[in-house]
Amino acid sequence: MNALRSRWSSFWFGAEGPTDLACCRIVFFGLLAIFYAPLQLGAWGDVSPVFWRPVSFFKVFHLQAPSPTALTMMALGWKVALVASACGAATRVSTLMAFVGGLYLLGLPHNFGKVHHFDAPVVIILGIMALARCGDAYSVDRWLGRRRGRPSVGPSPEYRWPVRAVWLTLALVFGSAGVAKLRHGGLAWITSDNMAVLLLQHAYHVANRDPLTDWGVRLSQIPWACRAIALATVLVELGYPLSLVSARARRFFPAAMVCTLLGIRLLMGPTFTQFLICNVFWIPWDRVVRRFERN
């Protein structure tokens, strides 16, 4: 029991340098800033109130959609906060603004009758980063600190738990997707013509994007290939949480999930760009930096 407790404590709170968390901050917020730069939210302010069906904290606090101008200004401020977070400028403030802004702005479209699942992990991870000391390295804050004579930071549990919390979030997201498939569809989700029907269905403009290729239609005519795709999808989703406890699984399942998401884009159309961005937390950035410095 003591050994288990020790491993649990080490997993979450083992001392670690700031490099990995700092690189995660740069890449995560940087890619979000690029991805959401074209996002226009002002139009939601023009939607008739008759369509307003508030959910979550919008319902609890009786919130309404503001005017298009207000939404546009809020979105601009949020995008600036994303850039500032990536740069590590006033990191505590900018990451908090990124979280609060993301919580409201990304949550707003969910209140018009359709609840999406593309960006839920993003908001959770924004909250984790708002609580983390992710600006202690490779940041404007650190550069200013050095100029003011502040000492360098050493290994600390503060740099490990945020990354582990993101791992746990993603494991719950993808693992529950696999469980849901078997819970509601059973083995028939794999052994029936379900995947063939899905591949054909998504060729007829039913998702937020159309497939990049016609391979899905072609594969739908090959029963064994459809069942193999379905089986691989479920195995990757169910196996994803193993990445929390196994270094070998960590090398395979996050990469396999990235390939799965890219395959969905190619064959069926739906974009999971936000999910792809979230997976950058699995990359051992400290090792990447050390290898780069040696070269």
Side-chain angles (χ1 to χ4, degrees), residues 205-230:
H205 318 293
V206 298
N208 67 323
R209 292 289 189 276
D210 289 333
L212 293 177
T213 69
D214 64 349
W215 300 346
V217 176
R218 298 183 182 184
L219 285 171
S220 68
Q221 309 304 310
I222 309 174
W224 67 265
C226 293
R227 295 185 179 105
I229 293 172

Side-chain angles (χ1 to χ4, degrees), residues 1-224:
M1 183 61 70
N2 289 334
L4 182 61
R5 186 182 301 112
S6 177
R7 292 185 63 181
W8 173 261
S9 178
S10 176
F11 175 83
W12 284 103
F13 303 112
E16 191 165 309
T19 298
D20 191 51
L21 180 60
C23 291
C24 287
R25 184 204 77 239
I26 294 169
V27 178
F28 175 68
F29 282 103
L31 291 177
L32 285 185
I34 294 170
F35 177 76
Y36 285 116
L39 182 66
Q40 301 295 325
L41 290 170
W44 289 108
D46 282 329
V47 178
S48 172
V50 72
F51 297 108
W52 183 254
R53 297 290 185 271
V55 298
S56 186
F57 64 91
F58 288 90
K59 183 177 182 179
V60 173
F61 296 106
H62 306 287
L63 300 179
Q64 297 290 329
S67 67
T69 301
L71 272 176
T72 299
M73 296 304 296
M74 291 170 63
L76 177 60
W78 180 58
K79 294 171 186 178
V80 170
L82 291 176
V83 174
S85 298
C87 296
T91 312
R92 284 294 193 184
V93 176
S94 59
T95 53
L96 179 60
M97 291 177 60
F99 168 59
V100 174
L103 182 65
Y104 184 85
L105 294 171
L106 297 181
L108 183 66
H110 296 244
N111 295 280
F112 295 93
K114 167 65 174 176
V115 176
H116 309 276
H117 60 281
F118 293 99
D119 44 26
V122 172
V123 175
I124 296 172
I125 295 172
L126 287 174
I128 293 171
M129 296 300 280
L131 297 173
R133 283 174 47 185
C134 58
D136 287 358
Y138 300 112
S139 64
V140 173
D141 291 346
R142 181 60 196 144
W143 178 75
L144 292 174
R146 282 201 303 268
R147 289 178 62 88
R148 295 168 183 167
R150 293 177 184 172
S152 299
V153 294
S156 169
E158 292 286 352
Y159 307 125
R160 170 168 285 201
W161 74 260
V163 176
R164 299 302 191 268
V166 174
W167 288 3
L168 179 61
T169 299
L170 296 177
L172 290 173
V173 169
F174 293 119
S176 61
V179 171
K181 288 177 175 61
L182 295 182
R183 178 185 177 189
H184 298 289
L187 290 178
W189 201 93
I190 299 170
T191 59
S192 69
D193 293 332
N194 172 67
M195 182 56 67
V197 172
L198 289 175
L199 291 171
L200 278 175
Q201 182 186 42
H202 281 78
Y204 292 94
H205 318 293
V206 298
N208 67 323
R209 292 289 189 276
D210 289 333
L212 293 177
T213 69
D214 64 349
W215 300 346
V217 176
R218 298 183 182 184
L219 285 171
S220 68
Q221 309 304 310
I222 309 174
W224 67 265

